[in-house]
Amino acid sequence: MKDLQEKMFTFPEETNTAHVRLTTSRHNFNAMTVCFRFLTDLKRQYALFSLAVPSFPNGFLFYKNEDSFELCARDKCQIFEGLDFQLNKWHSVCGTWDAASGLVQVWLNGQHSSRKPASGHNIYGPVIIILGQDQDSYAGGFDVTQSFVGLMSDLHMWNYKLSPCEIRKYTNDGDYTKGNMLNWNSLDFQIIGSVQIENSPKHCQ
C-alpha cells in the first residue's frame, strides 16, 4: 500500500504494454462508483479505467471517444455526449452504476450526464483493474491506439453508487468519503512499463 496524496501517474507515451494494475479484494459488485482526475492532449479514443472479469472484459470500463465518453458495465456500453471536455486541462470525472436500476451515469467537473441502461446483473469473478489500457481480453488484448497518454491522480472506487452531493464534494476536492475499494491515499498497485509517479502540479497553491 502506498499513499499517493499530491502525486500523479504520468503516462508519457503511446504503447501497448505500459499500464498500472490495481488490486482490490472484492469479487462481487452490485454497484460501483469510480472517480479520478486526469489531463491529456489526446484527440483520439483511449481507455482510462478498465475493470475486467473472466466472463466480461468490459466489466466496468471508462472510455473516452473523440467527442464523447463511454461507460460500460458487463460489456453493455453507453455513449455520453455534450459534456464540456477540453484538452490540456485537469478534469474530475466519476462513473456510477448499480444493478438495481441497471443504469450508468457520467459526471464531468460536477456536471452530470443523463442516466442510461447498461446491465442489471452483478459484476462478479476475479477482478483485474488496469489504468491506461483497454482490456479487450481478460488481463490483455492491449491496443496502442487505445492507450492513454497524459496525467492521472486522485483515483477512488466505491462498491456503491455515490450520492450527487458526495460526487460534488469530490469534484471540489472537499471533505469527501475516500474509496472503500480503491483509495488514492492507500493504494495497492503495480506499475508495468514506462508509467511514472511524480508530484502533481495541481496541488500547488
Side-chain angles (χ1 to χ4, degrees):
M1 298 287 187
K2 188 168 184 177
D3 184 357
L4 294 177
Q5 186 175 1
E6 300 186 6
K7 301 290 185 180
M8 65 183 182
F9 289 133
T10 297
F11 298 80
E13 59 184 348
E14 291 188 346
T15 167
N16 64 353
T17 54
H19 62 280
V20 179
R21 181 165 171 168
L22 308 174
T23 301
T24 183
S25 58
R26 193 177 182 96
H27 298 295
N28 191 2
F29 294 89
N30 60 13
M32 195 175 297
T33 303
V34 174
C35 294
F36 54 91
R37 309 185 209 280
F38 77 103
L39 178 152
T40 185
D41 66 354
L42 288 178
K43 293 184 178 180
R44 61 164 172 78
Q45 60 182 355
Y46 50 89
L48 289 156
F49 179 97
S50 171
L51 181 153
V53 294
S55 51
F56 298 102
N58 295 326
F60 191 79
L61 174 67
F62 212 124
Y63 199 84
K64 180 69 173 65
N65 296 310
E66 288 185 25
D67 298 312
S68 63
F69 283 90
E70 187 170 352
L71 201 57
C72 306
R74 284 174 53 109
D75 289 355
K76 295 182 179 179
C77 303
Q78 287 288 354
I79 302 293
F80 298 91
E81 298 183 297
L83 295 169
D84 185 19
F85 180 80
Q86 299 177 40
L87 300 180
N88 281 319
K89 177 183 176 181
W90 278 103
H91 294 280
S92 295
V93 294
C94 296
T96 66
W97 160 82
D98 68 281
S101 68
L103 302 180
V104 289
Q105 185 174 37
V106 173
W107 291 72
L108 178 68
N109 303 323
Q111 175 191 4
H112 62 81
S113 70
S114 57
R115 282 161 53 78
K116 297 185 178 183
S119 174
H121 300 280
N122 285 18
I123 298 169
Y124 58 88
V127 168
I128 292 178
I129 301 173
I130 284 174
L131 304 179
Q133 299 283 352
D134 181 14
Q135 297 180 75
D136 288 332
S137 59
Y138 184 61
F142 301 153
D143 184 339
V144 65
T145 64
Q146 298 175 322
S147 64
F148 174 66
V149 180
L151 315 174
M152 187 181 297
S153 74
D154 298 337
L155 174 78
H156 292 270
M157 174 180 165
W158 300 260
N159 64 342
Y160 56 90
K161 187 165 74 72
L162 231 57
S163 71
C165 290
E166 280 291 317
I167 289 177
R168 288 200 172 96
K169 287 179 184 177
Y170 172 85
T171 298
N172 297 326
D173 208 10
D175 186 21
Y176 62 91
T177 303
K178 303 297 191 291
N180 65 338
M181 294 289 99
L182 296 172
N183 182 340
W184 192 250
N185 301 98
S186 181
L187 198 65
D188 188 358
F189 64 93
Q190 178 186 7
I191 288 177
I192 294 91
S194 59
V195 183
Q196 300 174 27
I197 299 175
E198 298 185 298
N199 292 326
S200 174
K202 73 181 185 61
H203 289 283
C204 298
Q205 299 299 319

